[in-house]
Amino acid sequence: LLTMASPVADKILTAISRVGLGLGVAAMVPSLCLYDVDGGQRVVVLNMFSGVEDKVRGEGTHLKIPWVMQPKHYNVRLRPKLIQTTTGTK
């Protein structure tokens, strides 16, 4: 037997779907507008309208405008360099 859904049930399901869609959009906003700079890295931001920005961003969480600002990560950690010598000293 197929029965017609009641108008009340239809309104409840519509409200649930709208709330779910709103929560999904609200969850996407922080991931699109935030970026994280790890220790030992620096970021230069490429702005699509004005070019490369002069400010270099250090460690931490920063804001960006999605599709306009693109962060470019650079590693600035020091690496030890081993120099070979022919003498007997260490």
Side-chain angles (χ1 to χ4, degrees):
L1 289 166
L2 294 174
T3 59
M4 297 293 288
S6 69
V8 174
D10 193 29
K11 288 181 183 180
I12 290 172
L13 289 174
T14 302
I16 290 173
S17 66
R18 286 183 181 161
V19 168
L21 182 63
L23 288 174
V25 169
M28 286 179 54
V29 169
S31 68
L32 290 174
C33 295
L34 295 175
Y35 66 96
D36 191 39
V37 181
D38 295 330
Q41 290 185 344
R42 298 293 181 266
V43 168
V44 176
V45 176
L46 172 64
N47 189 326
M48 292 301 175
F49 297 120
S50 63
V52 177
E53 295 182 0
D54 291 333
K55 183 178 177 184
V56 176
R57 289 163 174 87
E59 301 173 8
T61 302
H62 304 279
L63 292 173
K64 69 173 182 166
I65 301 171
W67 302 290
V68 175
M69 299 171 76
Q70 294 181 357
K72 303 294 182 182
H73 295 262
Y74 291 96
N75 188 3
V76 293
R77 291 186 183 129
L78 295 176
R79 296 186 187 120
K81 185 174 182 180
L82 181 63
I83 300 174
Q84 296 290 339
T85 63
T86 56
T87 62
T89 61
K90 291 186 179 182

